[in-house]
Amino acid sequence: MKKLATIIVGVLFITNIGTAQNTDKVMQLAEPVETGENYKVYGSEFPDDAQFFAPGYLVRNADIFKAKKVATQGTIKQVCQKKGCFFMLSAGEKNIRVSFKDYKFFIPTDAAGSKVQLMGIFRVKDISEDQAKHYAEDAGGDAKKVMGPQKEYNIVASSVKIIDAKDS
């Protein structure tokens, strides 16, 4: 009986070590469709002829770009820490929330700080305080700072090219 108890304790100890080691693991639920020397592309292939608009320019001219296909580039500010299903792109005083077409691909959860180029449909919508708090929590932010309904600037990306920050 003592031997069985020792074996069970040993198995539990080893299981806990294995679980503890996996808590800092980066979540990556999608494989890139293209990998280069210093970049990875997720979703569909990134077009070579993309005409980029600055994120702040898109936000300032939201009425012009609303529901249009756009290309932009910048630095990933925050990534959904649950599974990489969206990220925040800084647009001056505002942010653009980037989600993925048909929820078919995601980016690695450790991509914050990386340079990014993306192509997708630009949208503007009003979201509730609860939804804004939910997004803030998922991105690892402070939901308590969110007050009232928010205007969300969003790009539903079809292609995302993440450029390794140390190589750019």
Side-chain angles (χ1 to χ4, degrees):
M1 190 61 133
K2 249 183 172 181
K3 213 175 196 182
L4 180 60
T6 304
I7 292 171
I8 290 172
V9 169
V11 168
L12 289 174
F13 179 73
I14 291 170
T15 302
N16 283 339
I17 289 173
T19 304
Q21 290 174 347
N22 289 332
T23 58
D24 293 333
K25 191 172 185 178
V26 173
M27 176 95 51
Q28 182 170 330
L29 296 177
E31 292 299 318
V33 295
E34 180 183 345
T35 301
E37 189 174 317
N38 69 335
Y39 69 89
K40 292 181 181 179
V41 176
Y42 295 88
S44 60
E45 290 184 21
F46 200 85
D48 291 330
D49 61 349
Q51 179 185 354
F52 295 101
F53 294 97
Y57 184 78
L58 293 172
V59 169
R60 286 190 306 277
N61 296 283
D63 290 340
I64 295 170
F65 291 105
K66 192 174 184 179
K68 302 259 193 290
K69 189 173 189 175
V70 298
T72 191
Q73 56 190 351
T75 301
I76 297 174
K77 187 174 177 179
Q78 294 173 301
V79 178
C80 171
Q81 292 301 292
K82 291 191 177 188
K83 57 184 165 185
C85 60
F86 73 89
F87 66 88
M88 302 304 283
L89 182 65
S90 180
E93 296 289 316
K94 306 284 185 185
N95 291 311
I96 297 175
R97 184 175 175 276
V98 180
S99 56
F100 309 111
K101 186 177 180 189
D102 299 327
Y103 211 60
K104 288 191 175 180
F105 67 96
F106 305 108
I107 65 168
T109 57
D110 69 342
S114 297
K115 301 289 183 203
V116 67
Q117 296 176 338
L118 60 110
M119 176 76 66
I121 304 297
F122 184 76
R123 301 183 192 281
V124 181
K125 67 180 182 177
D126 294 319
I127 59 172
S128 69
E129 179 178 341
D130 287 342
Q131 189 67 46
K133 285 180 183 275
H134 173 76
Y135 290 159
E137 287 173 359
D138 282 357
D142 186 0
K144 294 176 185 172
K145 291 182 179 179
V146 176
M147 302 298 231
Q150 308 283 310
K151 185 168 291 288
E152 179 189 68
Y153 301 95
N154 175 263
I155 295 176
V156 179
S158 54
S159 182
V160 174
K161 183 178 192 176
I162 298 176
I163 302 163
D164 191 5
K166 64 182 174 273
D167 293 326
S168 54

